[in-house]
Amino acid sequence: MLAHESEEIAYNSQIMVEFLGDVRLADMRAAVDQAIKEIPLLRSHIEETAYNFNRFYKSEADFNSFEVIELRSKILDQDEIDQFCQKKFNLSQSPAFRILIGKTALQKNILIFNVHHTLCDAAGQFHLLEEIFRVMEGQDIREGAKTDKTFRYRDLLRFMGWKWFINQVYTQLRPLAKQRQYKMASLVDHHERPQRFVTSQTVELNSDEQEKIRVSCKELNISITEYLTYSCFKALDKCLKARGDDKTPIMVYLPKTLRPLLKIRYSLQNILSTVWIVGKRDELHSDKFLEKVKHIINSHKMDKAAKFIFGTLWAASVLKPATLKSLYQKLDRDPESATSSLLISAGRVPRSYTFPANWTDISVWARGTMLKSPGVGVIYTGVAGAETLTIEYLKDVVEISTINDFKKNLLSELLK
């Protein structure tokens, strides 16, 4: 991430919480100050040397909640939200997180929790936000958040054993030049443009729509992630056919946490693998393809994750930052580099999640970094009874008409 980040690309990730009720700004500032004091990760910074990137922890913070929390007593329009989300962090200094509070057009409060993705993955980001909410409710910060011991992929030596680790290194290690590069279908309209400005559209599903999706998942005996993925393939296929492309394969990817597989109950750091699914255009609408999607997602255990960890990330551990930056810049600027079609993420907020007690009518949505390939992402999340579907995309690279067509087709597939 650090080698790929540039003036155009910011690896920021956001959780949005919309609610009615008193913001309790003083309580929130006190909670953030306590979190900064007790959670080492929030006091960390990154230094780049000629050979690598290193994270360091300050024993005491040199910032406070007044530098982190911004309150605007006004309606935040889409441009203001996008600008806040895209604003870069100075990772050589703390902090690497920000909170913006404002109003929605429906006069609900909106809290945007913006974090640099090197600080934590999506699950870790939800944990961090919950620690702040817990303190607001008079609860203690959990012990798991108070450690500076973070997960690294080399820790798999301890989790999985040296035989498994060495075998995977041997099996997956191959020169980058010999890794196959696939040409996949894409909704990107302007591959030549250098801009990477992310924007989004969010649909709040009503109770009937949520029930329809639940019934469909139950009838098909699949999870929401599997159903969303299958529906995205069909929606993409329809969009591409309207553009005259009925042959180029579609490839979607899904971040997948390794926490359950490694029996890690709580962690803030990145513990992710990536599930890739490729669909040939003549197979997408068959029951067999639905079973293929289900099988690939469910069978993504540690050996499958190793293909991503050891086959893709090894270069980041051995190449110098300057070399990595040059490599990633060339890949990102290559107009022919369309190696994926869509990013997909699905996960509801657990019922046990702690929100401030006086907040009501809560809804949650999320978004994050987008790259030219895939250029478009779909995130399904929310709390019980208030689920959301967010389509994020590169504003200058993908036409709004393309996104509107895709959104219409996706909702049609999901709500059949």
Side-chain angles (χ1 to χ4, degrees), residues 58-157:
K58 298 170 184 174
S59 57
E60 294 184 2
D62 54 3
F63 65 98
N64 59 36
S65 60
F66 284 87
E67 298 170 66
V68 171
I69 300 175
E70 179 184 357
L71 176 65
R72 300 182 194 172
S73 301
K74 56 174 286 190
I75 293 173
L76 300 178
D77 62 28
Q78 189 64 49
D79 284 342
E80 288 174 304
I81 292 173
D82 293 341
Q83 291 286 350
F84 175 77
C85 293
Q86 193 84 356
K87 185 178 178 181
K88 295 181 69 63
F89 292 101
N90 182 352
L91 298 175
S92 65
Q93 301 175 7
S94 302
F97 70 102
R98 302 185 185 102
I99 294 173
L100 174 63
I101 302 169
K103 294 283 188 180
T104 72
L106 298 176
Q107 290 301 313
K108 292 177 73 175
N109 297 308
I110 180 171
L111 180 152
I112 304 174
F113 185 50
N114 189 17
V115 176
H116 195 271
H117 204 29
T118 55
L119 205 64
C120 55
D121 57 7
Q125 188 172 356
F126 271 99
H127 284 325
L128 278 174
L129 184 57
E130 188 178 20
E131 298 303 338
I132 295 170
F133 291 159
R134 283 169 59 87
V135 175
M136 290 177 67
E137 290 303 295
Q139 301 176 42
D140 293 331
I141 290 176
R142 287 170 286 200
E143 290 302 314
K146 297 179 181 180
T147 178
D148 60 359
K149 294 180 180 178
T150 56
F151 176 85
R152 293 290 180 267
Y153 288 106
R154 59 179 173 266
D155 294 334
L156 292 174
L157 184 65

Side-chain angles (χ1 to χ4, degrees), residues 19 21-28 71 101-102 109 111 136 356 358-359:
F19 62 96
D22 183 7
V23 173
R24 294 167 54 190
L25 182 61
D27 290 343
M28 188 176 296
L71 176 65
I101 302 169
N109 297 308
L111 180 152
M136 290 177 67
N358 66 309
W359 292 6

